[in-house]
Amino acid sequence: MTSTDRNTRPDRSAGTAPGPEPGGAPPARRAADRLLRFARHPYWDRASPAYRVRRWPDLTALCLATAFFWSSLSPSLVPRPWYLQGIVGGITAAIGYALGSTLAWLFRALVRRRPGEPVRTRCWQAYWLLAPLATLWLVSESARTQRRLRVLQDLPPSLTWHTPMIALIALALLALALLLARLVRLGAVTLIRLLGRLLPRPVAYVTGALLTALAVLVGVRDIVYDRGIVDVADRIAAATNGGTKAGIERPVSRYVSGGPGSLLGWDSLGYEGRNFTGSTPTRAALTAWSGRPARDPVRVYVPSTPPVAFADASPFAAQAALAVRELDRTGAFDRSVLAVAGTTGTGWVDPNVAEALEYMHRGDTAIVAVQYSYLPSWVSFLVDKEKAGQATRALLDAVRTRLDTLPPDRRPRLVVTGESLGAYAVEASFGSAARLLAETDGALLLGPPDFSPVSRELRRDRDPGSPVWRPQYDGGRHVRFGQFPATDLARPATRWEHPRVVYLQNASDPVVWWSPGLLLDRPAWLSRPLGPDITPEIRWFPFVTFWQTSVDMAVSYGVDAPHGHRYGAGAVDGWAAVAPPEGWTDADTTRLRAYIGHRRAAY
């Protein structure tokens, strides 16, 4: 009889096989009898050690899985809906089960003596009695902490928290993970048995284990990841990149890419490029807001293009050269401010950042950006993160080379900006704070990811006593961080010298704090004092906090600025500090902030 046959046979192990039922017993009585028998012996032993798939869960593993699920109920950076709580709970429970199963296996390997049946029975009875009650209470408590977190982040306290559904989703994910693991183990045992007919037993074990690991690795990476998740994301992003959002039309200004006389066709700009150039504020709109004569702003955007389309060996250098030619065509080097914008994975440029600069300077600005990808930022991070820095660095080099040909008194102020992966693109272009300050006239960076080199340096070398979520660097002489920029950027009260770098960084932004290190290391952002919108009930748990923060990134736009990954009109205060026009006042900042905060962007 094969192991597969044994795994599909009905189990008749002692204490679990149902006995004969009286023919006339009502269903309720039969159910009560089964429940009573289970209460007396709440587990079953394998009828044969060959069982791999059909076997009772290990108590140690199940206890650890339950403890991990409980820990996942603790609050994290931003409020999350109940269904995502179920997903986080299921993933962390599966991790806990795997760890518990490993510990139980090590114990059995080192200690031959096993607890007797009475002890095991009492332990299982205690688990079935206490675990459901504790789970019900902790899920209810998690709803309370979620409501408190919502209040801290200016959301209404009302919350739908489906306790049964959270538990069911988590249990289903745990069961699925357990089933897949046991199927893999069954396949490995079968393979080793077959190899044992041809090879010595030790060689068969090693070969079978290596082949199984290779099959799992190839299956997960090549089939599930590359041909599954990434391929689907690429297809969706490619289809989106070919479209145009409703309300966006081809610009009539010759000062923007895709407009009359542009070196780049409107259709070639891609989805985000058309959004960026097609929503450029007009001179009339800028004049109406300021009450003073304005100019048509310059916006240049170069889309990503397959390398075969470039004659140059480097596609990024060719993109940059084309961008400079477009800047020359539009007269961008005659403007008072020239901003190089890093883009996110899709090529997005934050309209709040762009329009704040243009309204502040009444259109006497030029903004240039290049697209290195059309994939969502999380996919770009996984497959082509390096392109962000390479493309932006090539653009900066080309722009600076062109600026060097101009007399110093005729050069526009060169500033850089970027949000999220766009902030990383800018930081990767410089590599250090010293170089960023030396090669630009200022920077405004929003929500930089944890792996961004400059912001990581600034947080690491922050002044003693300043928290990592609001670091003070070199006494605030050139670089300052703010979540509430109207007040944060005024601290410290020491002289703030030029050039200036402003970071808008929310304490509750999971994009800023996510890193693989959360798996095993307690992060500095959980040290006291906590950020202003972080609940004091937040805790760090190995593995759990990593998955919680991963899920937080997916819902980080579900809150309003300045919380989560939303920065709203904070760019107005940022630009007012970094590159204000002559005569700009605090009252002007307040007025423009209100306007940007209430405007309805076309995209």
Side-chain angles (χ1 to χ4, degrees):
M1 182 170 57
T2 66
S3 62
T4 304
D5 295 332
R6 284 192 293 269
N7 274 283
T8 55
R9 286 181 55 189
D11 178 59
R12 303 297 182 190
S13 57
T16 60
E21 297 288 349
R29 174 64 181 275
R30 293 199 298 269
D33 289 341
R34 290 193 180 99
L35 183 61
L36 182 60
R37 286 199 301 272
F38 181 79
R40 290 172 178 168
H41 192 88
Y43 68 96
W44 59 268
D45 294 308
R46 288 180 290 175
S48 167
Y51 278 26
R52 302 296 174 191
V53 176
R54 190 167 170 263
R55 53 184 293 193
W56 195 252
D58 181 87
L59 179 58
T60 302
L62 197 58
C63 286
L64 209 58
T66 305
F68 268 55
F69 172 73
W70 290 343
S71 64
S72 75
L73 297 171
S74 61
S76 52
L77 289 170
V78 292
R80 55 183 179 268
W82 60 268
Y83 53 88
L84 286 183
Q85 175 57 62
I87 293 173
V88 172
I91 293 173
T92 53
I95 294 172
Y97 192 96
L99 291 174
S101 181
T102 302
L103 292 175
W105 175 81
L106 288 173
F107 178 83
R108 289 192 295 268
L110 298 174
V111 180
R112 291 184 175 275
R113 185 176 178 181
R114 297 183 63 194
E117 184 173 323
V119 174
R120 298 176 64 198
T121 299
R122 295 295 181 269
C123 290
W124 274 106
Q125 288 171 340
Y127 175 82
W128 290 121
L129 178 64
L130 299 177
L133 294 176
T135 298
L136 181 63
W137 175 67
L138 288 171
V139 173
S140 300
E141 278 294 295
S142 72
R144 182 186 63 80
T145 59
Q146 289 290 320
R147 283 191 287 268
R148 181 173 181 178
L149 182 59
R150 290 173 65 87
V151 171
L152 280 174
Q153 300 188 7
D154 303 319
L155 293 173
S158 58
L159 174 70
T160 301
W161 205 244
H162 294 292
T163 299
M165 291 303 299
I166 291 173
L168 286 174
I169 291 173
L171 186 60
L173 287 176
L174 174 61
L176 178 61
L178 186 57
L179 176 63
L180 292 175
R182 290 185 175 182
L183 288 173
V184 170
R185 186 176 180 185
L186 176 63
V189 170
T190 304
L191 178 61
I192 290 171
R193 183 181 295 114
L194 293 174
L195 292 173
R197 299 174 182 176
L198 305 173
L199 302 171
R201 194 174 188 83
V203 177
Y205 269 108
V206 173
T207 305
L210 289 176
L211 289 176
T212 301
L214 181 62
V216 171
L217 179 64
V218 171
V220 170
R221 179 173 177 82
D222 293 355
I223 298 176
V224 177
Y225 176 69
D226 287 339
R227 301 182 187 179
I229 297 174
V230 173
D231 186 59
V232 169
D234 178 71
R235 291 173 183 270
I236 294 174
T240 301
N241 195 52
T244 302
K245 194 167 186 177
I248 297 296
E249 297 181 355
R250 182 177 180 179
V252 296
S253 169
R254 67 183 184 88
Y255 296 102
V256 299
S257 296
S262 174
L263 302 176
L264 296 136
W266 171 249
D267 293 336
S268 72
L269 294 180
Y271 181 78
E272 295 297 352
R274 287 188 288 273
N275 288 344
F276 178 62
T277 63
S279 60
T280 306
T282 63
R283 178 173 53 184
L286 297 174
T287 299
W289 182 84
S290 66
R292 299 166 62 187
R295 304 178 67 179
D296 284 311
V298 172
R299 287 193 184 184
V300 169
Y301 192 94
V302 178
S304 59
T305 307
V308 295
F310 295 103
D312 192 282
S314 167
F316 300 128
Q319 271 186 303
L322 181 57
V324 169
R325 288 176 57 197
E326 185 78 341
L327 289 170
D328 271 322
R329 180 192 69 82
T330 57
F333 295 103
D334 295 327
R335 302 299 175 110
S336 64
V337 178
L338 171 59
V340 175
T343 63
T344 63
T346 59
W348 178 75
V349 177
D350 188 344
N352 289 328
V353 175
E355 292 189 14
L357 185 67
E358 290 163 339
Y359 274 90
M360 185 175 292
H361 287 269
R362 305 196 314 276
D364 192 19
T365 59
I367 304 175
V368 58
V370 295
Q371 182 186 32
Y372 55 86
S373 170
Y374 54 72
L375 294 169
S377 290
W378 66 271
V379 181
S380 293
F381 163 72
L382 294 173
V383 300
D384 57 7
K385 180 181 67 174
E386 294 76 14
K387 289 183 180 179
Q390 294 169 359
T392 308
R393 182 71 244 178
L395 175 61
L396 281 164
D397 287 343
V399 168
R400 286 198 62 86
T401 299
R402 177 67 178 85
L403 287 173
D404 289 342
T405 65
L406 302 175
D409 59 342
R410 288 186 51 199
R411 296 174 188 172
R413 281 185 283 181
L414 176 64
V415 296
V416 291
T417 186
E419 182 172 338
S420 194
L421 198 58
Y424 162 78
V426 171
E427 291 195 20
S429 302
F430 296 98
S432 69
R435 190 174 177 186
L436 173 61
L437 290 168
E439 297 183 11
T440 70
D441 295 306
L444 172 61
L445 303 171
L446 305 85
D450 176 78
F451 50 82
S452 303
V454 178
S455 53
R456 174 174 284 190
E457 171 196 344
L458 297 173
R459 290 192 291 264
R460 182 195 64 209
D461 299 336
R462 67 187 183 276
D463 295 344
S466 63
V468 70
W469 46 267
R470 193 74 68 250
Q472 181 176 296
Y473 179 79
D474 191 26
R477 195 158 62 96
H478 288 286
V479 182
R480 297 192 180 182
F481 287 74
Q483 177 170 354
F484 305 94
T487 55
D488 290 341
L489 297 182
R491 296 191 294 262
T494 55
R495 178 178 173 81
W496 194 1
E497 301 176 13
H498 288 278
R500 295 176 175 179
V501 175
V502 166
Y503 278 93
L504 298 186
Q505 175 180 286
N506 296 337
S508 58
D509 188 348
V511 173
V512 172
W513 306 124
W514 182 92
S515 75
L518 291 173
L519 284 166
L520 298 174
D521 297 325
R522 188 177 189 278
W525 50 268
L526 281 179
S527 300
R528 267 50 177 180
L530 294 172
D533 54 350
I534 303 297
T535 174
E537 293 158 315
I538 193 170
R539 297 290 184 271
W540 174 78
F541 297 98
F543 300 101
V544 178
T545 301
F546 171 82
W547 291 112
Q548 285 181 322
T549 309
S550 299
V551 170
D552 283 345
M553 288 197 294
V555 294
S556 60
Y557 288 99
V559 293
D560 294 327
H563 308 289
H565 197 51
R566 287 193 176 273
Y567 292 89
V572 175
D573 297 88
W575 285 129
V578 171
E582 186 176 354
W584 187 261
T585 67
D586 291 342
D588 294 327
T589 299
T590 301
R591 179 168 167 257
L592 181 56
R593 187 195 310 121
Y595 176 77
I596 295 294
H598 290 88
R599 86 186 187 340
R600 291 291 182 265
Y603 55 105

